[in-house]
């Protein structure tokens, strides 16, 4: 019973306070590896309470809007992954609507609620306008200025506007308490959905709200990738003569013209400066990786040979490297190369490895891997995280159907992916250590999620 | 507009051909039972064996009827209620048997196809050409995660190449398909290589490359939707589509 333990601590990018602590315990050679990874393992999470906001006016619209606001805010803080969010059942009966009503000792009391921080405030509708006042207080502070944050928002009194306000306030709290990393509450997820009959590109808020179709092409649309500035969406669409990179403009709310290359053109991916796209094109015969300008011009071929080479993805931190998938040696494996096509390195050494995606820090790749694959080896199809420098990897999903198409959130704390664990392909999100899995879609088949860059 | 109409006509033709053939092979179901006093309706069946002959060869027609008093075959005349007869048609012929009885009239048909001996076939209408295409140009199947032509697929490929050489007007699309396993994007790339492999083999077999278009559907348009090897094998293919 030899027991080996390997502990590896990787500091994320210089300005990030996120620490990935990777703990690998290989119990025996034959047994499955036990792996635990975490965002900030060993770092105590801030114990945060978020009391329901109180009505500030007598308007009958307050009730519904308050419910929307409170649910959205609590969910955003819960999703953030950096808080130990105090359950509402521990809260005092009297909650404050503004600082004069706050009794800090009721919130910091041990053993419960034992909060360090409290978010509270009020919401009031008047003449179809809504005003939200929100505060964040350090309830354990003994100083004379325990206020960490005080914000006021005004907008139309609609559920959608109130949801956006809740997201903005949540992001303020997360930014302030999360080491200066912007929150993701206003980010979007683009994905492929077949719920209308054909595979079209859909969009939703990061928390699954507001799901709607972007394209209505009636053919097959795949592999959506949103531009870094969020203004354009590149994807691959089937037409009579093949597959073309297709471009949707959110400024114009329509598909804009893009050159036809001929052949099969798949899996476009943006460079982090938004100036170029990498893609797989068979314009010269076999599917190889090309780079083109974002306008579609100036194609350069980066790989050659029979491949097939597919699924290129730029290092979103440096823009200097491209990861991709190639079947040049048989089953598909993950490779990296410089953005000019030189220095090709193979990262995976066995099985079926596809769908690479760079972490925002530019140091990690996540991908989908059937490590043991082949006749008689059904192998489970799980998501993995690899540290590029050391090629050390950890497994993020376990024993839960086929998992594919991972994509990082802009804050580097979350991963969205598709999973077949419920019997159909659906979109899920999780923290980057594999915990806190949430299902985001339920209707029809949904796949290939892509998280916005901010 | 012409092209879809032609396809539609082809479909109608094939469906009606299927109906005809099945009418020969199976006993025709009796009509709904009439009120008790009415006499029973006649039934009739007619078959040809073999149903395809070379020019100058004979085929045997065999028929059975019930409840019929007056049975005849067009082109042959009155016959016994049950019997068989040898025929030697000069051209492809559809024989029609009519059985009349006090309960009504029932007919049955059987077709004898006559192949012209080794003589260049007369210009075929496109409907027939598409049927011939379907008979001669068979889809090519692949191993898992492979895009090279298997030895056991060479015969199909050679036959397809020969047919396309003899019918130089036909243009085709080769669709590359994959089974459901693995990821969407890689399967699209794999399907691209499969379609290209079939195209390259046809070009080597003497078919002009500009007659052949290729497209990959990856695992997006499966022929079979079950999760087992026989179904997966059905889906790993280069599929030929007749374009003209």
């Amino acid at each position: 019973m030899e027991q080996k333990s390997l502990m590896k601590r990787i500091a994320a990018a210089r300005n990030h306070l996120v620490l990935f602590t990777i703990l690998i315990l290989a119990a025996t050679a034959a047994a499955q590896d036990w792996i635990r990874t975490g965002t900030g393992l060993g770092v105590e999470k801030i114990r945060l309470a978020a009391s329901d906001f109180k009505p500030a006016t007598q308007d009958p619209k307050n009730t519904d809007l308050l419910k929307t606001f409170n649910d959205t805010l609590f969910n955003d803080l819960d999703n953030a992954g950096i808080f130990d969010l105090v359950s509402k059942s521990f809260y005092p009966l009297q909650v404050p609507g503004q600082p004069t009503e706050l009794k800090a000792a009721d919130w910091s009391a041990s053993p419960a609620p034992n909060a360090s921080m409290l978010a509270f405030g009020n919401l009031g509708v008047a003449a179809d306008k809504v005003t939200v006042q929100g505060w964040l207080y350090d309830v354990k502070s003994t100083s004379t200025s325990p206020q960490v944050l005080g914000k006021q928002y005004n907008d139309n009194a609609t559920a959608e506007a109130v949801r956006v306000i809740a997201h903005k306030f949540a992001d303020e709290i997360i930014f302030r308490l999360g080491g200066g990393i912007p929150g993701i509450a206003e980010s979007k997820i683009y994905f492929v959905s077949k719920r209308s009959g054909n595979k079209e590109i859909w969009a939703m808020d990061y928390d699954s709200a507001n799901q709607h179709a972007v394209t209505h092409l009636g053919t097959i649309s795949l592999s959506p990738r949103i531009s870094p500035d969020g203004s354009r969406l590149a994807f691959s669409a089937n037409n009579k003569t093949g597959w073309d990179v297709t471009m949707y403009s959110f400024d114009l709310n329509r598909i804009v013209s893009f050159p036809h290359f001929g052949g099969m053109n798949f899996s476009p991916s943006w460079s982090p400066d938004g100036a170029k796209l990498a893609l797989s094109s068979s314009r010269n015969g076999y599917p190889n990786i090309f780079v083109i300008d974002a306008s579609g011009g100036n194609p350069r071929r980066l790989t050659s040979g029979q491949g097939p080479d597919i699924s290129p993805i730029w290092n979103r931190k440096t823009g200097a490297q491209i990861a991709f998938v190639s079947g040049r040696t048989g089953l598909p494996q993950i490779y990296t190369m410089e953005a000019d096509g030189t220095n090709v390195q193979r990262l995976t050494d066995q099985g079926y490895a596809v769908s690479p995606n760079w972490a925002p820090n530019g140091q990690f790749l996540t991908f989908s891997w059937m490590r043991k694959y082949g006749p008689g080896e059904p192998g489970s199809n799980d998501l993995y995280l690899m540290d590029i420098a050391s090629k050390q990897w950890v497994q993020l999903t376990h024993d839960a159907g086929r998992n594919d198409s991972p994509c990082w959130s802009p804050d580097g704390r979350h991963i969205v992916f598709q999973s077949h664990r419920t019997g159909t392909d659906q979109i899920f999100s999780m923290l980057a250590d594999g915990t806190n899995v949430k299902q985001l879609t339920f209707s029809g088949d949904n796949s290939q999620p892509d998280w916005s860059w901010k | 507009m012409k092209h879809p109409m032609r396809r539609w006509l082809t479909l109608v033709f094939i469906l009606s051909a299927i109906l005809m053939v099945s009418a020969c092979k199976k006993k025709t179901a009796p009509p709904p039972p009439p009120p008790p006093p009415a006499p029973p309706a006649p039934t009739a069946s007619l078959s040809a064996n073999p149903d395809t002959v070379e020019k100058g060869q004979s085929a045997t027609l065999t028929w059975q009827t019930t409840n019929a008093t007056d049975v005849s075959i067009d082109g042959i005349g009155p016959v016994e209620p049950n019997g068989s007869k040898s025929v030697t048609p000069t051209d492809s012929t559809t024989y029609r048997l009519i059985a009349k009885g006090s309960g009504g009239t029932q007919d049955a048909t059987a077709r004898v196809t006559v192949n012209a001996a080794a003589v260049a076939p007369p210009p075929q209408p496109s409907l027939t050409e598409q049927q011939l295409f379907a008979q001669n140009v068979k889809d090519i199947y692949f191993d898992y995660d492979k895009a090279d032509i298997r030895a056991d697929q060479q015969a199909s490929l050679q036959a397809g190449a020969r047919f396309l050489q003899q019918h130089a007007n036909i243009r085709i699309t080769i669709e590359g398909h994959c089974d459901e396993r693995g990821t969407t994007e890689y399967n699209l790339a794999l399907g691209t290589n499969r379609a290209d492999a079939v195209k390259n083999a046809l070009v080597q077999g003497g078919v002009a490359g500009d007659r052949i278009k290729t497209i990959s559907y990856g695992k997006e348009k499966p022929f079979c939707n079950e999760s087992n090897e026989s179904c997966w094998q059905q889906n790993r293919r280069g599929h030929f589509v007749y374009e003209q």
Side-chain angles (χ1 to χ4, degrees):
Chain A
M1 288 295 288
E2 181 197 8
Q3 186 160 26
K4 241 179 6 179
S5 82
L6 168 65
M7 194 170 185
K8 186 167 169 57
R9 182 162 302 205
I10 302 166
R14 222 181 343 207
N15 296 328
H16 289 212
L17 296 183
V18 183
L19 289 178
F20 281 77
T21 307
I22 301 172
L23 181 65
I24 304 173
L25 292 170
T28 66
Q32 187 184 4
D33 293 342
W34 287 89
I35 293 147
R36 193 160 116 79
T37 74
T39 50
L41 282 188
V43 178
E44 206 167 314
K45 291 181 176 177
I46 295 169
R47 197 160 159 85
L48 172 70
S51 71
D52 282 349
F53 278 41
K54 291 170 77 173
T57 62
Q58 301 301 316
D59 196 286
K61 275 182 157 181
N62 282 343
T63 311
D64 284 349
L65 293 184
L66 271 167
K67 172 155 178 45
T68 300
F69 181 89
N70 290 325
D71 288 350
T72 304
L73 178 64
F74 197 86
N75 187 48
D76 284 347
L77 297 173
D78 194 26
N79 280 339
I82 57 171
F83 301 122
D84 180 6
L85 202 56
V86 183
S87 164
K88 284 186 178 176
S89 60
F90 291 129
Y91 292 3
L93 289 176
Q94 296 296 319
V95 302
Q98 47 193 313
T100 53
E101 299 169 11
L102 174 63
K103 295 189 182 104
D106 290 352
W107 294 89
S108 61
S110 184
N114 193 23
S116 300
M117 294 279 171
L118 172 67
F120 63 97
N122 61 75
L123 175 152
V125 176
D128 286 332
K129 295 284 179 186
V130 67
T131 299
V132 177
Q133 292 181 306
W135 290 273
L136 179 69
Y137 266 60
D138 181 346
V139 291
K140 290 204 165 158
S141 167
T142 53
S143 84
T144 51
S145 58
Q147 177 174 319
V148 180
L149 206 57
K151 287 276 166 185
Q152 177 166 321
Y153 304 88
N154 302 292
D155 207 330
N156 295 323
T158 65
E160 191 44 42
V162 160
R163 277 176 40 76
V164 171
I165 292 171
H167 285 327
K168 286 182 188 294
F169 187 55
D171 276 351
E172 290 282 355
I173 295 170
I174 292 161
F175 181 77
R176 195 62 63 97
L177 300 182
I181 300 171
I184 55 165
E186 289 185 86
S187 63
K188 310 275 187 221
I189 293 167
Y190 301 88
F191 59 104
V192 173
S193 182
K194 208 179 176 184
R195 70 185 72 171
S196 65
N198 295 300
K199 283 192 173 177
E200 303 280 3
I201 309 301
W202 283 59
M204 61 180 164
D205 295 352
Y206 97 104
D207 60 358
S208 87
N210 194 22
Q211 299 191 14
H212 60 279
V214 174
T215 65
H216 304 274
L217 292 173
T219 58
I220 307 171
S221 295
L222 297 172
S223 306
R225 292 288 182 199
I226 187 71
S227 63
D229 66 358
S231 69
R232 283 167 296 171
L233 182 83
F235 59 101
S236 182
N238 177 226
N239 57 41
K240 278 207 157 50
T241 58
W243 293 81
D244 276 320
V245 172
T246 308
M247 194 67 77
Y248 186 93
S249 163
F250 287 102
D251 295 334
L252 302 171
N253 283 320
R254 62 174 172 83
I255 286 171
V256 293
S257 69
F258 202 78
H260 297 273
F261 300 129
M264 267 39 84
N265 298 280
F266 299 123
S267 62
S269 158
W270 293 91
S271 63
D273 61 3
K276 294 189 283 289
L277 289 165
L279 72 151
S280 167
S281 177
S282 68
R283 58 192 293 165
N284 289 17
Y286 299 114
N288 288 132
I289 307 298
F290 283 70
V291 168
I292 57 175
D293 293 345
S295 61
N298 195 19
R300 285 91 73 195
R301 191 171 82 177
L302 299 191
T303 65
S304 57
Q306 210 163 323
D309 304 326
I310 187 86
S311 308
I313 187 98
W314 295 79
N315 183 325
R316 58 196 275 179
K317 171 85 171 175
T318 66
Q321 280 177 301
I322 294 173
F324 64 101
V325 171
S326 179
R328 58 187 63 180
T329 62
L331 288 171
Q333 305 295 329
I334 310 267
Y335 294 77
T336 56
M337 62 185 168
E338 303 304 308
D340 63 1
T342 60
N343 190 25
V344 174
Q345 302 273 333
R346 180 169 158 180
L347 295 189
T348 53
D349 52 4
Q350 60 172 331
Y352 187 108
V354 293
S355 306
N357 192 266
W358 292 89
N361 69 9
Q363 297 176 354
F364 304 138
L365 272 181
T366 49
F367 55 97
S368 171
W369 201 8
M370 275 171 274
R371 264 196 295 149
K372 301 187 175 82
Y373 196 52
E377 298 242 49
S380 63
N381 190 170
D382 280 303
L383 302 182
Y384 289 77
L385 181 153
M386 181 180 278
D387 171 45
I388 296 298
S390 67
K391 295 192 182 175
Q392 295 252 16
W393 49 260
V394 293
Q395 185 173 345
L396 299 179
T397 60
H398 294 269
D399 305 324
R402 299 193 297 273
N403 303 282
D404 198 358
S405 305
C407 181
W408 288 77
S409 66
D411 66 357
R413 291 178 177 135
H414 302 76
I415 292 171
V416 67
F417 61 102
Q418 81 184 57
S419 177
H420 202 264
R421 62 186 64 187
T422 60
T424 57
D425 278 327
Q426 299 297 343
I427 310 289
F428 292 74
S429 69
M430 63 183 178
L431 291 178
D433 63 0
T435 62
N436 202 20
V437 175
K438 297 197 170 174
Q439 184 169 354
L440 304 182
T441 62
F442 295 87
S443 149
D445 279 335
N446 301 282
S447 56
Q448 298 189 307
D450 183 54
W451 211 315
S452 62
W453 294 58
K454 53 189 180 185
Chain B
M1 291 307 290
K2 192 177 168 191
H3 180 70
M5 177 61 102
R6 198 177 276 177
R7 282 197 148 176
W8 187 81
L9 281 172
T10 310
L11 188 65
V12 169
F13 182 88
I14 292 170
L15 283 176
S16 52
I18 290 168
L19 281 175
M20 281 197 235
V21 171
S22 59
C24 316
K25 297 249 158 105
K26 292 178 192 161
K27 285 244 175 206
T28 310
T43 65
S45 68
L46 176 65
S47 64
N49 184 34
D51 58 5
T52 304
V53 297
E54 298 300 320
K55 194 162 186 169
Q57 291 180 332
S58 299
T60 303
L61 296 177
T62 307
W63 62 90
Q64 288 94 33
T65 64
T66 59
N67 305 322
T69 53
D70 179 10
V71 180
S72 64
I73 298 176
D74 287 0
I76 294 175
V79 294
E80 295 296 314
N82 296 300
S84 64
K85 184 175 173 58
S86 177
V87 292
T88 311
T90 52
D91 290 309
S92 297
T93 304
T94 300
Y95 293 93
R96 179 161 176 258
L97 176 143
I98 300 169
K100 289 178 185 158
S102 47
T105 301
Q106 181 66 44
D107 66 353
T109 59
R111 182 169 175 83
V112 177
T113 304
V114 179
N115 288 336
V119 182
Q124 303 276 357
S126 62
L127 291 178
T128 308
E129 184 175 75
Q130 189 167 358
Q131 282 185 316
L132 286 171
F133 175 85
Q135 282 169 7
N136 288 281
V137 185
K138 300 291 188 194
D139 288 356
I140 305 299
Y141 294 89
F142 289 89
D143 278 341
Y144 173 72
D145 195 52
K146 293 284 192 294
D148 36 30
I149 308 289
R150 268 179 0 209
D152 69 347
Q153 300 296 307
Q154 292 291 350
S156 296
L157 201 51
Q158 298 310 324
R162 248 190 331 270
F163 177 86
L164 291 169
Q165 278 180 308
Q166 288 161 2
H167 297 77
N169 59 316
I170 297 179
R171 306 179 80 84
I172 62 168
T173 294
I174 302 167
E175 299 176 354
H177 292 271
C178 304
D179 70 38
E180 63 170 355
R181 292 173 294 172
T183 198
T184 298
E185 288 179 355
Y186 185 73
N187 275 316
L188 287 165
L190 181 61
T192 302
N193 276 1
R194 284 181 179 163
D196 272 354
V198 176
K199 175 179 175 175
N200 291 341
L202 287 181
V203 169
Q204 282 170 19
V207 182
D210 60 7
R211 295 167 57 194
I212 307 170
K213 285 194 291 191
T214 57
I215 189 165
S216 172
Y217 284 115
K219 59 172 183 174
E220 301 302 313
K221 291 191 171 182
F223 293 82
C224 177
N225 281 309
E226 289 157 37
S227 296
N228 55 53
E229 176 49 38
S230 87
C231 188
W232 290 333
Q233 176 61 90
Q234 285 299 304
N235 291 336
R236 292 191 303 265
R237 69 165 93 181
H239 175 58
F240 290 98
V241 179
Y242 176 93
E243 297 289 358
Q244 181 191 310

